[in-house]
Amino acid sequence: MWTVSGARLEGVLDTAVDGIVVIDDHMRVLAYNKACERLFGYTASETLGQNVSMIMPRHYAEAHDGYVKHYLETGEKRIIGIGREVAARHKDGTEFAVELSVGETVTPDGRQFIGILRDLRPRKQIERSLAQAQAQLLHMTRISAIDEMGAAIAHELNQPLTAVLLYLQAVVRKARDRELLDAQMLGVIEKAMREAERAGEIIQRMRQLVEKREPERSETDIGPFAQSCVELVELGSIDSETLFQTVIDPRMPPVSMDPVQIRQVLVNLLRNAREAVAASEVKQVRLEVTIDDGFVEFRVSDSGPGVPKEVVPELFRAFSSHKRKGLGLGLAISRTIAQNHGGDLVLRQGTGQGATFVLRLPVECGIDSARAPDQ
């Protein structure tokens, strides 16, 4: 027969990974190991002899003595011998989840209760990460399906729009040859033709936006290109109160870039700006294009509340979106596209209202000069 000395028992308690608390039937702490010190922030000297409720949330601490009293009087076990998840409270007031298992022993000094506590925060974080990853995977699956549907719909719409345009052109030719319509009616039909042409151009841009293909750079006239991006965003704007402004430096030279990819970046920035001003009294989005030291700068500014300071460090990281919708990939992919063109995408946010995202692209960027984002 052998016994464990007090010193040896204390050593066992202090080497345990989980927190261990021993209390008497008056709720006073008799033992409190090192793991508990790390878990709750209190030292052993601060807790020994104190009511164990000091490491419990207020609402639970107020009822805890009653739970123990009920057990001592009735013998009805509600947690003893049964592990379950409960809330605990750190010294700084932070509440967190722990798994609690309680055992009971009878000693010459009376009943004692041994609580073993395991911090559930790491497991909860893993569960949240897995749930988020699953939701993102499902969302990406839907995006892929929508991507294919978008290309198919754009293709199908392009055919009837082309037919409408051809019919209108035929009407105009016949009417002019035979003088069947007056100038006012011809003007109305010609306006309808221009709208059909514009609709066809929008459909073409939509097809390019969802098209899967290798990057292909070409010399692009920035003025019409920038205006087409704004028009594409205006087309998808339910809130007609948003005012879009476009200011383009007239000295702007053609830029070597992949127009499909850069259109994706600008449309994303403009849509984000439109969403940022949705709740603002003044709903204004401004696209300004200038040239500076061999670089073209696309500045997308809004009159919204600006980007919160706590969000800025993770703004361009994938899957770090703070919006209820979306994956948080837009800005991350946009910066990668910009850097692959030899440029960059940055946030310039002053002390005033709103935010400004700046897309910088070199005027001359051949394939060989493009660099990877990590270089």
Side-chain angles (χ1 to χ4, degrees):
M1 189 71 179
W2 57 277
T3 59
V4 179
S5 68
R8 184 175 295 175
L9 178 60
E10 184 178 352
V12 170
L13 291 178
D14 284 342
T15 57
V17 175
D18 296 329
I20 299 176
V21 178
V22 180
I23 65 172
D24 61 17
D25 53 8
H26 295 290
M27 313 310 122
R28 292 175 301 202
V29 177
L30 303 178
Y32 182 90
N33 70 346
K34 294 291 185 183
C36 279
E37 292 185 343
R38 294 189 294 270
L39 194 58
F40 296 105
Y42 292 103
T43 63
S45 60
E46 291 177 292
T47 57
L48 293 177
Q50 301 298 318
N51 193 300
V52 73
S53 62
M54 68 188 298
I55 59 173
M56 301 175 184
R58 186 179 301 277
H59 65 278
Y60 186 71
E62 292 172 351
H64 182 259
D65 288 2
Y67 293 153
V68 176
K69 183 179 179 182
H70 175 81
Y71 168 68
L72 294 174
E73 291 176 352
T74 66
E76 180 184 351
K77 296 181 179 180
R78 294 182 176 178
I79 189 172
I80 295 174
I82 305 171
R84 72 175 185 181
E85 181 180 325
V86 297
R89 182 169 61 90
H90 192 271
K91 184 178 181 179
D92 64 8
T94 303
E95 296 185 10
F96 57 97
V98 296
E99 184 178 4
L100 172 63
S101 300
V102 180
E104 179 190 10
T105 184
V106 179
T107 72
D109 297 324
R111 291 185 180 183
Q112 295 181 359
F113 302 93
I114 301 96
I116 301 176
L117 304 107
R118 176 168 295 176
D119 190 353
L120 291 181
R121 283 173 292 186
R123 191 180 81 184
K124 294 285 186 182
Q125 180 60 42
I126 292 173
E127 289 174 353
R128 285 193 295 269
S129 298
L130 288 174
Q132 184 181 21
Q134 184 180 30
Q136 289 165 351
L137 181 60
L138 290 173
H139 197 145
M140 290 181 75
T141 303
R142 291 197 296 270
I143 287 175
S144 178
I146 292 172
D147 182 36
E148 295 177 4
M149 288 174 57
I153 291 172
H155 176 73
E156 293 299 325
L157 286 176
N158 194 53
Q159 293 181 350
L161 278 173
T162 301
V164 168
L165 182 59
L166 291 174
Y167 289 142
L168 289 173
Q169 289 173 344
V171 169
V172 169
R173 283 197 302 270
K174 291 290 185 181
R176 284 175 175 168
D177 292 343
R178 301 181 184 181
E179 298 182 353
L180 298 176
L181 298 174
D182 58 26
Q184 184 176 6
M185 290 302 299
L186 279 174
V188 171
I189 296 175
E190 287 172 349
K191 287 181 180 179
M193 286 172 54
R194 287 194 293 271
E195 290 303 311
E197 290 174 349
R198 178 172 175 269
E201 291 172 358
I202 291 171
I203 292 296
Q204 183 62 27
R205 293 172 199 149
M206 290 176 64
R207 290 184 64 181
Q208 291 175 343
L209 199 60
V210 300
E211 201 174 38
K212 295 184 178 71
R213 62 178 179 82
E214 292 298 318
E216 184 178 333
R217 291 183 175 87
S218 60
E219 294 291 319
T220 303
D221 190 349
I222 294 300
F225 171 80
Q227 190 61 47
S228 72
C229 293
V230 174
E231 290 175 358
L232 196 57
V233 176
E234 285 182 312
L235 181 72
S237 177
I238 299 175
D239 180 14
S240 58
E241 297 180 0
T242 302
L243 174 63
F244 288 88
Q245 293 182 333
T246 307
V247 179
I248 302 172
D249 190 328
R251 301 170 299 145
M252 190 65 57
V255 176
S256 176
M257 66 183 190
D258 184 316
V260 173
Q261 289 190 345
I262 300 303
R263 179 177 283 113
Q264 177 184 351
V265 174
L266 282 179
V267 167
N268 182 59
L269 295 177
L270 290 165
R271 290 180 65 242
N272 287 346
R274 185 190 67 198
E275 292 177 10
V277 303
S280 300
E281 185 175 348
V282 178
K283 299 178 174 62
Q284 183 171 310
V285 175
R286 176 184 175 93
L287 172 60
E288 184 177 2
V289 189
T290 62
I291 184 167
D292 178 40
D293 195 24
F295 281 82
V296 172
E297 287 195 351
F298 299 84
R299 299 191 189 101
V300 179
S301 306
D302 64 71
S303 58
V307 180
K309 290 183 179 179
E310 63 273 15
V311 175
V312 173
E314 298 184 349
L315 196 60
F316 294 98
R317 290 180 57 189
F319 303 117
S320 61
S321 176
H322 292 260
K323 297 190 292 185
R324 295 188 63 181
K325 297 181 180 180
L327 290 173
L329 288 172
L331 289 176
I333 292 175
S334 295
R335 170 171 274 185
T336 299
I337 290 172
Q339 292 177 339
N340 282 340
H341 277 72
D344 203 358
L345 175 63
V346 297
L347 169 67
R348 292 180 185 170
Q349 184 169 241
T351 57
Q353 191 180 34
T356 299
F357 285 87
V358 181
L359 169 64
R360 283 174 56 86
L361 299 177
V363 173
E364 295 183 3
C365 178
I367 299 297
D368 294 336
S369 63
R371 59 183 176 87
D374 57 349
Q375 291 180 326

